[in-house]
Amino acid sequence: MIRLLLAFMIMTSSISIWAKDDIDQNNIEQRRQKIISIINEELSEVERLMAQSGGKQNPSLYLRMAELNLEKARLIRERETNAFMKLSPKKKTKVNRKKYFRESSKYFEKANNLCRTIIRRFKNFKQMADVYYILGYNAKEANKDKTAAKYLSRATRYSKNGQSKVKAQISLAEIYYNAKKYRKAIPLYEKALAKHQDKWWTKDSFNLAWCYFRVNKYTAAINKMKAIYEKSKSSRFIDMRQQVKRDIGIFFATSDRIDEGIRYYKKFGENFTTQLLQIAVLLKSQGKYTQARKVLEHASRYEKDKYKRVEINIEKLNLYEKYGKYISHNQVSKELYTSYKAGHLREEQKERYKYHMEKVAALLQRQVVSKTYRRLPKQRKQKANLTISYFDMLKNIDTKRSDEFSYLKGETAYAAGLYTSAFEYYKETFELSEKNKKTRFKKQSIDAMLVVLSRLPKQSDKFIYTFEAYLRNWPKGKKSKEVYSRLFNNYMSEKQYDKAESVLNRFVKYYPRDLTQEAMIAQLMDVSRSKKDNNKVRAWIAKIDKGNYYVSPKYKRKLQELLTAMQIEDVQGQLATGNKKSALVGYLDILNDKYSTKRSKINAKYNLSALYYELGNQQEAYRWAMAAVDEMSSKDVQKFSPSFVTIANFLFTSLEFEKSADLSRKLLGKLCKSKSKKRITAFKNGMFIYLSDGHLKKAEEMLAKGRTCKLPTDVIEEAEYETMREYLYRKDWKKYEYYALKLQTSKRYYAKVIDDFLNLSNIHGKFNNTSKAKRFLNIGKKLYYKAKRARQIISLRSLDYFASLSLRKMERTSAALEKIKLSFPEARFQRAVEGKLKQLDKLVEQGNDVLETGSGAGIVSSYKLLDDAYTYVAKELMAFTPPGKTKEYITGFKKQFNSISTQMLQAAKKYRQEARTAIRKNTILSKNNFYFQDNKFPVQFYGESGVVIMDRGGK
């Protein structure tokens, strides 16, 4: 075992040498495999020893197996790691790491299990520290720091061997160090390093020095760094001098011992100011922004020269710009701006200063514009304000580009949604450009102002300023035309009508034949109309007639309509005072006036119909309503449809049925292509009035119109059903059959049309048309089953009919039952009894079919058949006596079958009880009811088809 262990150690050290020399990976893998083979041999040897000596009693063997499994796991993990590192980044993200490192994890777990076995079975084992160390090491490798800390803590407590204890303490300290638990790491490092000094002492002490630093023990940290520097001069230790020189300055700077740091660095011949900058740069490269900033602040604090302070601040700009500390960068930029105004910057420094500000401003502006910060409005606003402050300083430094930087302020504010600020910056740019007679940003800024205005809909003062500025510089052009319109609308919204009219006149000057002026005139005329200033309206019309303004012929006609509307307003004024007679005369005058427009006449007809409706005059209300609907557009009819429906209802209640239906039909024709619900009302009103009044031809025409208008299916089907019923009453079998066949496919009418197909079957049966009779009967059956599945309410007549079909089957079964006669010998008797029982079961099944129909008469009849059948068989069995048998045989036979007969009589009794319950609960009226009344009411019911049930008053 010792020889194998020695070979293992040699090979392990060789692997590290080969790895350092970067020898071919295939050779490394071969040697690794050899070592694993050696480990496997030793494992086999240990297992053999355990078998011979009883391994349960020897914890040392368990420990050795754990150590071997641990070494084997390390080697396999090394192989797995090498293979994993060769994968592409894309593949690495898809790989299941647990599965990838499954083999090494298995051996780590074996080592853990062996150690747990020792802890569980051998609590007084002398090498328990090694056991806990293995568990701690494995947990550390698995990144389970809490578990590793627990086991390594136990390893330090149990360890009596100085080297083992140091190893455990150092490992535990590293865990605390990596977890940033420096106060826990310090005593472990101190104890371990005080007892043992190997070549790693300087490296571990370096960690200890940083632990002191992290808990603000700066003196201890600095002293430890000095000791490391001295020991690193010896080849016995790892050389950490460069790291000490790099980091000790941070310790001096942070502990505010700059002077001491200067003296220490002088030993190396270093310049202190230069060193501070180097420390800052180093900290910066390590991402230690706070420390770098502190170092530079110390430099600023000790540096009194105003010009050197500028250099320090520019270095700060470089630091903050490189690592994205834009708020700090902005603060330093503002401080440098003060220095700039005081004249402390050289030309070269000015350029660097401008460069840094322009670069950061551009970076921030891109961030403001990018999609990344659209969901972070607060951050975007902050970045925008920083960017704007840079451009504001640059505007005053580089005055030749002042308009450009001002424009960039506006662009930044706009991107951040700061529209009010953006407008002001664009305005500033525009005014600078006008003042300095520059054109590049003047056009861009005014265009930008126009864009921003779309985000500021309620700020008319800004709109007016922008539009007037635009037209002052560009009175004519493609965009100017739109600007005139918008300026006009803003003056209108502010009720500055004189200025709006001035804009109109300016527009006409540059665009004399453009119809946009028509819309402006219309708005100004509307103002005059709202003020009841008809004279002003007439003045506008006079100017248009003279050619001062250009409008379309259509608009001229509308002006004529306007005059007519004014005339109608006068009539409406009469209505408002309750003078309906004068109003009627006024509307009739409009109809007779040759200058009245078509629309005004239609309006007059509608109002006449409404007035006559209010006066209760059916004939005139109908006359003018029909005329108005006939001439109105579909859109207008839809608008006034509630009024027309009301007039149609008025005609109906006045017993003018045909007039009401005719108006509804005309109304439907106009509403046909609309989505108005009133078209359904009009359809139903007209349809059902025609049906009730016997106008079947008009009803059919109304139904066809409803289909053309694509009314809802349920509305059409309802009308078809009522039409079908009307043809039934008239005994028009051809039409009746036509509509029944149409409705058979409607899910809503499965149950309702069953009776109609039974009717048609009977009708064709009377005429000996057996094929059609059979066809309609089959349709009725199919509809019956569909209605049952759809759980629709089926008529009592249909239920009774389909119940009667099942009752016939029951009657045939009862007849078959009676035909089976009881006789001997015994085998024949047995077959007869079994046949009767089989028929009884069949009868029960058929009775259930009758019950499922829900027919009251069918239910009672089925119970009667069941009662009769069970009673008949029971009595037949009781009366039967086997011929030619002894008295004892006959007695036993009777006893056996009397028991069966009794059960059958009980079943019959049960059916009678169920029949009575069904009659009572469901209020069934059947001719068989008397059968179940126990002779209390021996009255048999007879009914005739077509009878009418009346109340006591004969109604």
Side-chain angles (χ1 to χ4, degrees):
M1 186 186 302
I2 292 170
R3 284 197 299 273
L4 287 171
L5 181 58
L6 182 60
F8 167 74
M9 293 171 64
I10 293 168
M11 296 292 283
T12 304
S13 64
S14 299
I15 277 189
S16 90
I17 293 168
W18 295 328
K20 288 178 182 178
D21 293 340
D22 197 22
I23 303 226
D24 184 76
Q25 289 296 323
N26 292 330
N27 295 333
I28 294 174
E29 179 57 30
Q30 290 174 6
R31 288 169 176 77
R32 185 186 293 118
Q33 196 58 44
K34 287 179 182 179
I35 296 171
I36 292 172
S37 299
I38 293 170
I39 292 172
N40 289 336
E41 288 177 15
E42 187 172 348
L43 278 169
S44 300
E45 180 65 19
V46 173
E47 288 173 357
R48 186 184 64 78
L49 289 173
M50 286 180 69
Q52 288 179 352
S53 60
K56 294 183 180 179
Q57 306 303 322
N58 193 340
S60 297
L61 294 176
Y62 276 101
L63 177 58
R64 184 57 190 149
M65 288 183 69
E67 291 171 343
L68 291 168
N69 276 294
L70 175 59
E71 294 304 327
K72 188 174 180 179
R74 285 173 175 169
L75 290 165
I76 294 171
R77 177 60 58 88
E78 183 181 311
R79 177 204 299 155
E80 292 170 338
T81 302
N82 289 338
F84 181 77
M85 294 306 294
K86 291 178 182 178
L87 296 176
S88 66
K90 187 176 182 181
K91 287 186 178 180
K92 283 180 184 177
T93 58
K94 295 182 179 179
V95 166
N96 185 330
R97 293 190 177 226
K98 287 186 178 180
K99 291 183 179 180
Y100 205 87
F101 295 95
R102 180 168 47 198
E103 186 179 0
S104 60
S105 299
K106 179 177 71 175
Y107 291 108
F108 277 124
E109 188 58 28
K110 279 187 178 181
N112 286 342
N113 289 336
L114 288 163
C115 290
R116 292 190 193 104
T117 302
I118 294 170
I119 293 168
R120 190 171 59 254
R121 296 183 184 176
F122 310 104
K123 296 184 180 180
N124 298 320
F125 183 41
K126 293 180 180 180
Q127 291 177 267
M128 192 64 78
D130 293 329
V131 174
Y132 281 119
Y133 178 76
I134 291 172
L135 288 170
Y137 179 85
N138 288 350
K140 183 181 174 185
E141 287 293 305
N143 295 321
K144 298 178 180 178
D145 289 341
K146 288 186 178 179
T147 306
K150 179 181 72 175
Y151 286 130
L152 290 171
S153 296
R154 292 180 185 176
T156 57
R157 289 202 305 271
Y158 281 99
S159 178
K160 296 178 181 178
N161 184 322
Q163 188 174 359
S164 298
K165 191 160 189 172
V166 167
K167 186 170 61 173
Q169 287 173 332
I170 292 294
S171 296
L172 182 57
E174 284 180 357
I175 289 173
Y176 289 141
Y177 180 80
N178 293 331
K180 299 182 180 180
K181 298 178 180 179
Y182 306 112
R183 294 189 185 280
K184 288 187 175 183
I186 287 171
L188 291 167
Y189 273 128
E190 288 176 339
K191 290 176 183 178
L193 296 173
K195 295 178 182 178
H196 184 73
Q197 290 191 10
D198 61 1
K199 70 175 183 176
W200 297 101
W201 187 92
T202 50
K203 182 263 180 188
D204 294 327
S205 294
F206 188 78
N207 287 352
L208 175 58
W210 270 103
C211 288
Y212 286 141
F213 178 76
R214 294 299 186 191
V215 298
N216 301 327
K217 293 183 177 181
Y218 302 127
T219 300
I222 291 168
N223 291 337
K224 182 59 69 177
M225 282 290 196
K226 290 178 179 180
I228 295 166
Y229 189 88
E230 293 302 321
K231 283 191 181 292
S232 293
K233 294 176 181 179
S234 172
S235 60
R236 289 178 52 232
F237 300 96
I238 293 174
D239 190 351
M240 299 291 289
R241 282 178 289 182
Q242 288 300 322
Q243 290 85 339
V244 171
K245 287 176 68 176
R246 181 193 66 200
D247 294 349
I248 196 169
I250 299 171
F251 293 3
F252 280 123
T254 306
S255 60
D256 202 18
R257 293 160 65 176
I258 301 295
D259 294 335
E260 185 181 345
I262 292 170
R263 289 194 299 272
Y264 187 74
Y265 275 112
K266 281 182 179 179
K267 293 180 182 180
F268 313 129
E270 301 284 351
N271 178 274
F272 178 67
T273 306
T274 305
Q275 189 60 38
L276 281 180
L277 290 174
Q278 288 177 352
I279 290 169
V281 171
L282 179 63
L283 291 170
K284 179 178 67 175
S285 67
Q286 294 175 347
K288 298 175 181 177
Y289 315 118
T290 303
Q291 291 93 329
R293 179 177 57 80
K294 285 181 179 179
V295 171
L296 288 173
E297 285 175 356
H298 279 298
S300 298
R301 189 187 309 160
Y302 283 94
E303 187 57 70
K304 303 302 181 183
D305 187 276
K306 55 189 177 183
Y307 295 101
K308 288 185 178 180
R309 287 180 64 83
V310 168
E311 190 64 36
I312 291 170
N313 280 331
I314 289 176
E315 188 60 39
K316 284 183 181 180
L317 287 184
N318 186 44
L319 170 70
Y320 296 142
E321 176 264 311
K322 189 168 183 179
Y323 292 97
K325 299 296 181 180
Y326 299 127
I327 294 175
S328 299
H329 188 281
N330 188 262
Q331 291 170 349
V332 174
S333 296
K334 288 178 179 177
E335 185 178 342
L336 278 169
Y337 184 65
T338 303
S339 299
Y340 163 77
K341 289 193 292 184
H344 295 157
L345 272 68
R346 299 187 301 272
E347 286 302 319
E348 176 267 333
Q349 289 174 330
K350 287 180 186 178
E351 292 303 319
R352 288 171 62 193
Y353 174 42
K354 281 172 55 182
Y355 166 77
H356 281 297
M357 284 205 297
E358 285 193 54
K359 185 176 180 182
V360 172
L363 286 170
L364 288 171
Q365 191 183 47
R366 281 199 294 272
Q367 291 179 6
V368 172
V369 174
S370 70
K371 294 180 180 179
T372 305
Y373 289 93
R374 288 182 185 175
R375 297 179 183 177
L376 303 168
K378 289 184 179 179
Q379 290 87 331
R380 185 168 68 164
K381 184 178 179 182
Q382 182 188 57
K383 289 178 180 293
N385 288 329
L386 289 173
T387 308
I388 290 166
S389 71
Y390 284 119
F391 289 137
D392 199 46
M393 289 185 282
L394 286 165
K395 177 175 71 77
N396 295 319
I397 293 171
D398 191 349
T399 54
K400 290 181 180 180
R401 298 168 60 194
S402 59
D403 57 339
E404 177 184 352
F405 290 121
S406 183
Y407 181 76
L408 290 172
K409 286 196 294 180
E411 293 285 89
T412 306
Y414 181 81
L418 306 172
Y419 302 120
T420 302
S421 298
F423 180 85
E424 294 302 325
Y425 296 140
Y426 288 136
K427 180 180 176 183
E428 179 184 74
T429 307
F430 178 78
E431 290 175 350
L432 281 170
S433 298
E434 266 196 330
K435 180 181 178 182
N436 298 326
K437 298 182 179 180
K438 294 182 178 181
T439 57
R440 179 186 170 194
F441 288 102
K442 182 167 75 172
K443 187 68 168 67
Q444 287 181 248
S445 60
I446 198 73
D447 287 341
M449 290 163 71
L450 290 171
V451 172
V452 173
L453 288 175
S454 64
R455 305 283 186 170
L456 301 170
K458 294 183 180 180
Q459 302 196 24
S460 294
D461 57 330
K462 291 182 174 60
F463 278 79
I464 291 169
Y465 170 87
T466 306
F467 297 147
E468 288 287 11
Y470 189 94
L471 295 174
R472 183 169 65 247
N473 287 274
W474 299 278
K476 187 176 182 181
K478 186 176 181 181
K479 187 176 285 188
S480 301
K481 180 178 172 182
E482 179 188 351
V483 173
Y484 278 114
S485 295
R486 296 178 70 182
L487 178 60
F488 174 86
N489 291 333
N490 273 272
Y491 278 133
M492 291 296 293
S493 65
E494 292 295 308
K495 298 182 180 180
Q496 298 181 33
Y497 304 123
D498 292 341
K499 290 185 178 181
E501 187 173 346
S502 171
V503 173
L504 168 64
N505 293 329
R506 280 188 278 164
F507 180 84
V508 172
K509 178 181 177 182
Y510 292 105
Y511 305 96
R513 300 290 291 176
D514 194 294
L515 282 175
T516 304
Q517 58 188 283
E518 181 181 294
M520 296 180 182
I521 293 168
Q523 290 188 57
L524 288 167
M525 289 181 71
D526 285 342
V527 172
S528 300
R529 289 276 292 141
S530 64
K531 293 180 178 180
K532 307 292 184 183
D533 190 351
N534 290 340
N535 291 330
K536 183 72 172 177
V537 174
R538 293 187 181 94
W540 278 109
I541 295 172
K543 288 179 182 180
I544 291 168
D545 289 339
K546 287 180 181 179
N548 293 348
Y549 300 105
Y550 177 74
V551 297
S552 65
K554 182 179 179 181
Y555 186 68
K556 284 187 177 180
R557 288 195 298 272
K558 284 188 176 181
L559 292 177
Q560 186 62 45
E561 290 179 14
L562 178 60
L563 293 174
T564 305
M566 292 164 64
Q567 185 180 4
I568 291 174
E569 284 178 3
D570 293 337
V571 178
Q572 294 293 103
Q574 296 291 336
L575 280 175
T577 58
N579 193 345
K580 294 182 180 180
K581 182 178 179 181
S582 297
L584 284 171
V585 173
Y587 284 125
L588 291 171
D589 288 342
I590 291 172
L591 292 175
N592 296 323
D593 188 347
K594 64 179 181 178
Y595 296 108
S596 296
T597 62
K598 180 181 179 181
R599 186 166 184 80
S600 63
K601 289 182 178 181
I602 294 171
N603 191 5
K605 291 176 182 178
Y606 166 76
N607 285 307
L608 282 168
S609 67
L611 276 172
Y612 280 119
Y613 158 71
E614 291 179 9
L615 294 170
N617 189 326
Q618 302 99 329
Q619 299 298 327
E620 291 301 317
Y622 168 74
R623 173 192 170 192
W624 293 113
M626 290 288 283
V629 173
D630 195 41
E631 294 182 31
M632 274 184 176
S633 67
S634 297
K635 186 176 180 180
D636 286 339
V637 171
Q638 184 177 348
K639 180 180 177 181
F640 296 106
S641 58
S643 300
F644 290 123
V645 169
T646 302
I647 293 171
N649 292 337
F650 161 66
L651 293 170
F652 178 80
T653 55
S654 302
L655 306 183
E656 295 287 350
F657 301 126
E658 190 170 359
K659 286 184 173 62
S660 175
D662 288 344
L663 180 57
S664 296
R665 181 172 63 174
K666 189 172 284 291
L667 187 59
L668 175 63
K670 286 291 178 131
L671 296 175
C672 185
K673 294 182 180 180
S674 71
K675 294 183 179 180
S676 171
K677 293 182 179 179
K678 294 299 180 184
R679 65 186 187 140
I680 297 174
T681 305
F683 172 77
K684 286 186 175 182
N685 286 351
M687 183 74 201
F688 296 126
I689 290 172
Y690 282 141
L691 283 174
S692 62
D693 215 23
H695 297 296
L696 279 174
K697 184 177 179 182
K698 287 187 176 182
E700 292 260 24
E701 291 172 355
M702 195 77 172
L703 184 55
K705 189 66 177 176
R707 293 193 191 101
T708 303
C709 296
K710 296 181 180 179
L711 295 180
T713 305
D714 59 329
V715 175
I716 296 297
E717 288 178 348
E718 182 186 4
E720 289 175 340
Y721 181 79
E722 294 301 328
T723 304
M724 179 190 72
R725 304 302 297 173
E726 185 64 26
Y727 281 121
L728 171 64
Y729 299 144
R730 290 174 176 250
K731 296 185 179 181
D732 187 338
W733 307 128
K734 187 175 181 180
K735 287 282 189 178
Y736 179 50
E737 178 183 317
Y738 168 77
Y739 281 104
L741 289 170
K742 277 183 68 66
L743 288 167
Q744 68 170 322
T745 57
S746 172
K747 293 181 180 179
R748 301 179 188 84
Y749 289 89
Y750 286 158
K752 286 189 175 182
V753 297
I754 294 172
D755 284 346
D756 298 297
F757 281 101
L758 295 179
N759 289 340
L760 287 167
S761 180
N762 290 333
I763 292 164
H764 283 288
K766 289 178 181 179
F767 290 103
N768 295 321
N769 193 348
T770 54
S771 62
K772 274 203 168 185
K774 185 177 180 182
R775 176 193 170 199
F776 290 131
L777 182 60
N778 288 334
I779 292 173
K781 288 180 180 179
K782 289 179 181 178
L783 290 172
Y784 169 74
Y785 291 117
K786 286 181 178 180
K788 291 280 282 184
R789 283 195 296 271
R791 297 184 178 180
Q792 295 179 357
I793 298 173
I794 301 171
S795 70
L796 186 61
R797 177 200 171 192
S798 296
L799 293 175
D800 290 346
Y801 174 79
F802 288 103
S804 70
L805 299 180
S806 297
L807 284 170
R808 290 176 195 169
K809 295 179 183 178
M810 289 184 73
E811 289 169 355
R812 289 194 292 270
T813 303
S814 295
L817 177 71
E818 292 178 5
K819 288 181 181 179
I820 301 171
K821 301 299 181 181
L822 301 176
S823 62
F824 254 59
E826 292 180 355
R828 187 185 302 164
F829 180 82
Q830 186 67 29
R831 285 196 300 273
V833 171
E834 289 176 356
K836 285 181 178 291
L837 292 175
K838 185 176 180 181
Q839 292 298 321
L840 285 174
D841 289 341
K842 185 177 180 181
L843 197 65
V844 170
E845 290 179 3
Q846 293 169 342
N848 289 334
D849 292 340
V850 175
L851 292 176
E852 286 181 3
T853 63
S855 165
I859 291 169
V860 174
S861 299
S862 67
Y863 278 126
K864 181 178 182 303
L865 288 170
L866 288 167
D867 182 17
D868 289 344
Y870 272 89
T871 303
Y872 169 76
V873 175
K875 289 180 178 179
E876 188 179 15
L877 285 172
M878 292 175 70
F880 184 80
T881 302
K885 299 295 182 179
T886 63
K887 185 176 181 181
E888 291 79 5
Y889 180 90
I890 293 170
T891 301
F893 179 89
K894 291 281 187 181
K895 183 177 180 181
Q896 177 184 357
F897 283 97
N898 282 349
S899 174
I900 296 172
S901 299
T902 302
Q903 292 176 10
M904 289 186 174
L905 290 173
Q906 288 174 350
K909 183 179 179 182
K910 180 183 176 185
Y911 285 128
R912 286 196 295 275
Q913 290 172 347
E914 288 179 2
R916 284 193 288 270
T917 301
I919 292 167
R920 184 175 62 258
K921 283 187 176 181
N922 299 298
T923 320
I924 298 172
L925 192 62
S926 169
K927 66 181 181 180
N928 287 324
N929 282 12
F930 80 97
Y931 182 81
F932 297 104
Q933 301 304 315
D934 297 329
N935 296 321
K936 291 181 181 178
F937 303 101
V939 179
Q940 189 170 1
F941 167 76
Y942 291 95
E944 294 293 334
S945 61
V947 299
V948 178
I949 299 175
M950 296 184 291
D951 63 12
R952 292 180 181 179
K955 295 181 181 178

